[in-house]
Amino acid sequence: MSRRCELTGKGPMSGNNVSHANNKTKRRFLPNLQDVTLQSDVLGRSFKFRISNAALRTIDHRGGLDGFMAKAKDVELSAGALKVKKEIAKATAA
């Protein structure tokens, strides 16, 4: 399982541990990923995603999964999330 957010594309970053003596060693900054189940109001179904905590806050801010998917960029979404976005768009258009 990759350490990448399915909705925002956020992944690991690299940087340095810096000691008091200013010695630098490589380290990784991992995103805070959570396994969540999100409910779509338009489809009346729930979907499981592995998303970052920041993405979960953005979903709440935009009024749920449907609002988030309406504004989400296709490049950042995973394959499964892209299918969900297309289903939601089709249901709202009809």
Side-chain angles (χ1 to χ4, degrees), residues 15-55:
N16 290 314
N17 278 329
V18 181
S19 71
H20 184 69
N22 207 28
N23 298 330
K24 295 171 182 72
T25 56
K26 282 293 186 188
R27 63 161 292 179
R28 284 172 32 125
F29 295 95
L30 300 176
N32 185 9
L33 296 179
Q34 307 294 327
D35 292 316
V36 296
T37 302
L38 299 171
Q39 181 77 26
S40 171
D41 297 329
V42 174
L43 299 175
R45 291 178 43 203
S46 59
F47 299 95
K48 283 191 170 188
F49 292 111
R50 186 165 166 83
I51 63 173
S52 64
N53 209 27

Side-chain angles (χ1 to χ4, degrees), residues 2-92:
S2 67
R3 291 189 172 104
R4 187 159 299 277
C5 177
E6 291 187 51
L7 299 183
T8 61
K10 184 180 283 195
M13 294 172 43
S14 62
N16 290 314
N17 278 329
V18 181
S19 71
H20 184 69
N22 207 28
N23 298 330
K24 295 171 182 72
T25 56
K26 282 293 186 188
R27 63 161 292 179
R28 284 172 32 125
F29 295 95
L30 300 176
N32 185 9
L33 296 179
Q34 307 294 327
D35 292 316
V36 296
T37 302
L38 299 171
Q39 181 77 26
S40 171
D41 297 329
V42 174
L43 299 175
R45 291 178 43 203
S46 59
F47 299 95
K48 283 191 170 188
F49 292 111
R50 186 165 166 83
I51 63 173
S52 64
N53 209 27
L56 189 58
R57 292 181 62 195
T58 306
I59 290 168
D60 287 341
H61 178 74
R62 291 188 182 165
L65 182 64
D66 302 328
F68 179 86
M69 288 296 194
K71 293 185 178 181
K73 296 178 184 173
D74 292 349
V75 178
E76 295 175 346
L77 298 175
S78 68
L82 199 55
K83 287 180 185 177
V84 173
K85 179 181 179 178
K86 289 181 181 176
E87 283 183 44
I88 291 171
K90 188 186 289 186
T92 51

